[in-house]
């Protein structure tokens, strides 16, 4: 078989996307911050409790905005995992800051909160926890560290839409948070994202940064009689066509999450025997974390040839993939970043991880086939 009979991802549409885009066209308002954008903002604010939600072109641009809001200076440091997507680091490096990579926890693959304090220096300004697979970091512990050391917290909640920690929505716990609506995430608009501003003191500056550094937002609200260049900024707001698409997804976010969790739970049950025989380790969800079924991964037992397993899965028509190449081992990570402590778990766990097909509509029979083929490969 050459093409993937069971693809890794299949973007899900609710069916209302095109109708809402037609409505946006009918509104004769295609640039940003029209009726659909406002609906999306309200929805995120009500769901998460953040002070202000602002749609962006991507999670990457939301993180760029966060880095601008923190007023980072050259040489300032931001503590983050190395096991993450490049955007977590890039946003801060663009401001001249240094990503300081700290190891991850064995259970969740999230930044190890117990190793953060040892990495703090007089230049440390912020912590950027990443909620891997929509499973929360240990936020209370990190918030206490941030408070003691006067640091800001920027949550990379790209994967955390609809997930929570002790009942609090991911992205709305730290000072700032970011969502992704990229087509590979749970709730999508092709490309898309949002900045969640939780500190009310940062809201008006966030609006200015997003509107090319102008106070256009205040002008539209009638608070000033003309708008002018106020601050650093760029164009971070998506068009109404994107917001209209996103609205069709947010309306169904509850159901989409529910369906993903059902798929996740089925994999978890089907793969229990492989874990019992010691060939894989399944994901571990701490009691305080309500996840969102974003990723189903397994960690292959040490010594198993991951590339070989992925190749055989592919030969059987199954689209399984690995995940992050740790940033500290990448050319730009070595140029711009610094490592604190050993990153043994980051290195060893990232080399053992494979993600299984996960998308709304993935049927039980397809999942059974994925698990049967994986079992047959590993038991050979
Ligand atoms: C997907 C992802 C991003 C980037 O999101 P975009 O919307 O594609 O910019 C950043 N961080 C993490 C952890 C991600 O998973």
């Amino acid at each position: 078989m050459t093409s993937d009979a069971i693809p890794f991802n299949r973007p899900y549409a609710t069916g209302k996307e095109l109708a809402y885009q037609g409505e946006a066209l009918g509104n004769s308002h295609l640039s940003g911050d029209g009726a659909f954008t406002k609906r999306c903002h309200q929805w995120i604010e009500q769901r998460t409790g953040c002070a202000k939600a602002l749609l962006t072109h991507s999670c990457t641009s939301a993180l760029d905005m966060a880095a601008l809001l923190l007023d980072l200076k050259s040489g300032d440091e931001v503590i983050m995992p190395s096991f993450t997507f490049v955007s977590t680091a890039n946003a801060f490096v663009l401001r001249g800051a240094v990503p300081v990579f700290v190891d991850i926890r064995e259970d969740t693959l999230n930044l190890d909160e117990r190793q953060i304090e040892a990495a703090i220096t007089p230049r440390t300004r912020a912590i950027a926890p990443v909620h891997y697979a929509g499973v929360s970091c240990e936020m209370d512990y990190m918030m206490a560290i941030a408070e003691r050391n006067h640091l800001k917290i920027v949550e990379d909640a790209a994967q955390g839409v609809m997930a929570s920690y002790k009942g609090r929505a991911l992205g709305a716990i730290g000072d700032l948070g970011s969502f992704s609506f990229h087509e590979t995430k749970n709730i999508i608009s092709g490309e898309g994202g949002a900045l969640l501003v939780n500190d009310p003191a940062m809201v008006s500056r966030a609006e200015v940064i997003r509107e090319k550094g102008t106070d256009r937002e205040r002008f539209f609200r009638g608070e000033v009689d003309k708008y002018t260049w106020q601050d650093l900024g760029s164009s971070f707001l998506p068009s109404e066509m994107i917001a209209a698409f996103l609205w069709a997804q947010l309306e169904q976010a509850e159901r989409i999450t529910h369906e993903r969790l059902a798929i996740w739970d089925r994999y978890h049950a089907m793969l229990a025997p492989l874990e019992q025989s010691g060939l894989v380790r399944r994901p571990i969800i701490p009691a305080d974390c309500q996840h969102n079924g974003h990723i189903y991964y397994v960690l292959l037992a040490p010594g198993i040839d991951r590339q070989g397993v992925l190749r055989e899965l592919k030969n059987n028509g199954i689209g399984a993939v690995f995940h992050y190449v740790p940033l500290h081992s990448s050319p730009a990570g070595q140029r711009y970043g610094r490592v604190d402590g050993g990153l043994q778990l980051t290195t060893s766990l990232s080399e053992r991880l494979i993600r299984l097909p996960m998308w709304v509509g993935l049927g039980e029979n397809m999942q059974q086939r994925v698990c049967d083929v994986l079992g047959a490969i590993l038991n050979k």
Side-chain angles (χ1 to χ4, degrees), residues 232-258:
L232 290 181
S234 190
S235 175
F236 288 112
L237 69 167
S239 84
E240 275 289 283
M241 300 307 274
I242 296 291
F245 191 108
L246 181 62
W247 179 246
Q249 297 260 320
L250 291 178
E251 273 190 328
Q252 302 283 324
E254 200 93 51
R255 181 176 61 75
I256 290 170
T257 306
H258 196 76

Side-chain angles (χ1 to χ4, degrees), residues 58-60 84-85 87-88 130 156 158-159 180 182 185 192 324:
S58 60
C59 180
T60 301
T84 183
F85 190 60
S87 300
T88 322
V130 178
D156 183 340
Q159 303 175 13
S180 173
H182 186 265
K185 302 302 201 286
Y324 307 125

Side-chain angles (χ1 to χ4, degrees), residues 19 24 31 58 80 134 142 148 150 157 169-171 199 207 210 238 261 270 274 280 355 370:
S31 59
S58 60
M80 65 181 68
M142 290 187 194
R148 276 200 297 281
H150 310 288
L170 303 194
D199 177 355
E207 289 178 340
R210 179 164 166 272
L261 284 169
M270 288 174 181
L274 268 191
V280 303
R355 291 180 290 160
V370 171

Side-chain angles (χ1 to χ4, degrees), residues 364-375:
E364 188 168 354
N365 52 342
M366 287 186 265
Q367 289 188 271
Q368 192 62 63
R369 172 134 178 275
V370 171
C371 296
D372 289 348
V373 171
L374 179 63

